[in-house]
Amino acid sequence: MEAIERHLTANREEHLKQLTQLLSIPSISALSEHKPDVRKAAEFIRDALTKAGFDHAAIMETGGHPVVYADWLHVEGKPTVLVYGHYDVQPVDPLQLWKTPPFEPDIRDNQIFARGASDDKGPTFMHIKALESILQVEGELPVNIKFCIEGEEEVGSANLDSFLEAHKSQFAADLVLISDTTMLGPDQPSICYGLRGLAACQIDLQTANTDLHSGIYGGAVPNAIHALVELLVSLHSPDGTITVDGFYDGVAKLSEAEQKEYASLDHDDEAYRKSLGLPALHGEPGYTTLERLWARPTLEINGIYGGFQGEGTKTVIPNEAHAKITCRLVPNQDPKNILDKIEAHITKHTPEGATVTFTRADTGHPYLAPYDHPAIQLAADAYTHAYGIKAVFTRMGGSIPVVETFSQLFHIPVVLMGFGLNDENFHAPNEHFSLDNFDKGLRTLCYYYKHLANAL
C-alpha cells in the first residue's frame, strides 16, 4: 500500500486536473439541449478508462443516454467486481445563487465547487483513478473489474433495467461496488447497508364540471380543495402513524445489533431540530429519529394544488384539486402492493360529491444487505485505514433503485462506499466535494480493492 499511496500523492494534481475537465462538461440528462454534452461526458469517461489501462472501453447505446462499459479480466480464479456510477448531473437553476459558474470548477477552502462534484462524477472518477494507480504501481489488479457508468441516473434510470437484462452476461459479477451515498460527517466514515424503496402516485380530485361562483353556489355544492384536504388528512393519525390498512404489514423490525449501532451514533435531536429551523420534530411514535429516517416507512404529500393561485382574490369554488404523494419503503414492502393499498384507501375515503383519479408513478424496491458480510466488513477496515477512525454502519433514508436491480438481477451483494457529505449541496446551487475526502477516499478504495479477493 505504501507505494500506491506515494503514487497517489505524486499524481494528485494531475488527477484533480482530469476531474476538473470532467466537471466542466454540462452533462444535464434532464434537458434535451444538453444531449450532446451528456454524450461528451460519456466519451470522456470512455477515454479515461482506456488511458487507465482498461480493456473494451465502449459507449453502449440504450433507449436514452448511453452506458459506458470497460473491463479488466486478467486474474483467473479471482472474483469480479462491477463498479457502478453515473456521469449525468442535475440542472443548475437557480443559476444566480451560484458563487462561481457551475461548470467552471473552482477550488476554495480545500473543496471543489461544480455541478456533479459530489453527485456523482467525483466519487465515480475516484474509482477509475484508484484502480489506475494500482495498475501503474503493480502492473496488475488484485481482482477482475467491470464498469457500468450510466447517463440517466438523475432522470430515474428509465432504460437501465432493460439494458442490463439484455446484457446480463456481459455485466455479471460477484460484487457490485457503488460510491453514490454519503458519510455521516467529515470525520465519521460510514457504510450504508440499506436503502428505502419508493412508491409514488398522484391524486386528481374533481367535483363540478367547472369552477363555480362562491356567492351564487357557495353552501350548496362540494369544494374540491375541501374534499382533497379531508381525503389527505385520512392518511395519517395526528401522531404521524400511517392509517392506510395493511401499510405496515410485514415490516421487518430492527435487530438488537442494529438498535445498538444506531444508539452508539449519539444522534443529537435538539441540534437536528435547530438546524432545520423547526419548533419540534414529528414522526411515528415509539422510534428514534434515526430509526424513523432509515428503518421505518413513510407516506409524504409532496405537492398540493388547485383553485386560484394568483394575486388578490377570486371568489370561486374550485372544481379540481391535486396532490402528489411518495412513500419511502423498507424491507418486506412491495411498491405495487403499497400502491394497491393506498388506492383502496383513497376509494374508501373519497368524500361525497367528489370523484378521484389515482395515477401510479415511480417505484423502487428497498434494499438491505447483511452488514456482517465479509465484503462489507472489509469496507469498514478500508475506511479505518485511510481515516484513522472506525467506520459505522448505517442505512439511508433515500432510494437508489439500481441497487435493488443489481441485487435481483445478479443475486450478489452490493457494497455502498460513499465519500460525499450531506451538506455538499448536491442537487442545489454551489455543489461541492471535499478534497480531503477525495484524498482519503482514494486511499480507502485502493485498500479495499487490494484486500477484496480474500473477502469473497
Side-chain angles (χ1 to χ4, degrees), residues 172-330:
D174 300 296
L175 175 92
V176 179
L177 185 56
I178 300 175
S179 293
D180 197 13
T181 52
T182 58
M183 305 197 312
L184 277 184
D187 298 316
Q188 184 53 75
S190 50
I191 297 128
C192 178
Y193 67 94
L195 300 161
R196 290 195 287 193
L198 179 71
C201 60
Q202 177 158 326
I203 297 170
D204 299 296
L205 184 148
Q206 184 171 353
T207 49
N209 57 9
T210 186
D211 286 355
L212 299 170
H213 191 290
S214 67
I216 295 174
Y217 292 95
V221 299
N223 182 307
I225 292 179
H226 293 180
L228 181 63
V229 169
E230 180 183 337
L231 181 56
L232 296 178
V233 166
S234 75
L235 295 168
H236 294 85
S237 63
D239 66 7
T241 303
I242 298 163
T243 54
V244 174
D245 287 344
F247 188 88
Y248 295 106
D249 288 355
V251 169
K253 293 183 178 180
L254 278 170
S255 69
E256 185 177 339
E258 288 176 299
Q259 289 178 324
K260 288 181 178 178
E261 181 78 20
Y262 294 0
S264 73
L265 300 179
D266 198 26
H267 178 80
D268 187 336
D269 272 6
E270 183 62 11
Y272 183 68
R273 179 193 69 78
K274 288 181 178 179
S275 73
L276 298 173
L278 290 169
L281 298 179
H282 181 68
E284 185 185 2
Y287 299 93
T288 67
T289 296
L290 292 183
E291 289 170 351
R292 291 170 183 162
L293 289 172
W294 296 342
R296 297 300 296 172
T298 68
L299 189 158
E300 299 289 357
I301 300 164
N302 307 122
I304 181 170
Y305 56 101
F308 178 62
Q309 305 291 316
E311 184 179 355
T313 299
K314 185 180 182 184
T315 54
V316 294
I317 299 173
N319 76 315
E320 290 185 8
H322 313 269
K324 296 179 182 292
I325 292 173
T326 55
C327 302
R328 297 292 178 169
L329 309 179
V330 297

Side-chain angles (χ1 to χ4, degrees), residues 48-61:
L49 287 165
T50 299
K51 292 173 184 175
F54 290 93
D55 305 317
H56 310 117
I59 291 174
M60 301 181 68
E61 302 301 335

Side-chain angles (χ1 to χ4, degrees), residues 56-70:
H56 310 117
I59 291 174
M60 301 181 68
E61 302 301 335
T62 72
H65 298 303
V67 167
V68 182
Y69 173 84

Side-chain angles (χ1 to χ4, degrees), residues 126-139:
M126 287 165 59
H127 283 271
I128 300 174
K129 294 296 107 177
L131 290 164
E132 176 188 70
S133 297
I134 297 173
L135 265 175
Q136 290 183 351
V137 172
E138 301 191 345

Side-chain angles (χ1 to χ4, degrees), residues 1-6 8 81 126-127 129-135 138 141-143 175 177 191 374-389 391 415 417 419 438-455:
M1 279 299 299
E2 290 183 7
I4 294 171
E5 293 186 358
R6 286 196 300 270
L8 290 171
V81 179
M126 287 165 59
H127 283 271
K129 294 296 107 177
L131 290 164
E132 176 188 70
S133 297
I134 297 173
L135 265 175
E138 301 191 345
L141 296 177
V143 291
L175 175 92
L177 185 56
I191 297 128
I376 295 177
Q377 290 295 318
L378 175 62
D381 294 340
Y383 278 112
T384 301
H385 168 79
Y387 285 80
I389 298 168
V415 178
M417 296 180 67
F419 300 99
F438 179 80
D439 295 332
K440 291 178 180 177
L442 283 168
R443 285 156 175 78
T444 302
L445 291 174
C446 288
Y447 184 99
Y448 188 76
Y449 283 119
K450 282 283 293 175
H451 295 84
L452 184 54
N454 296 324

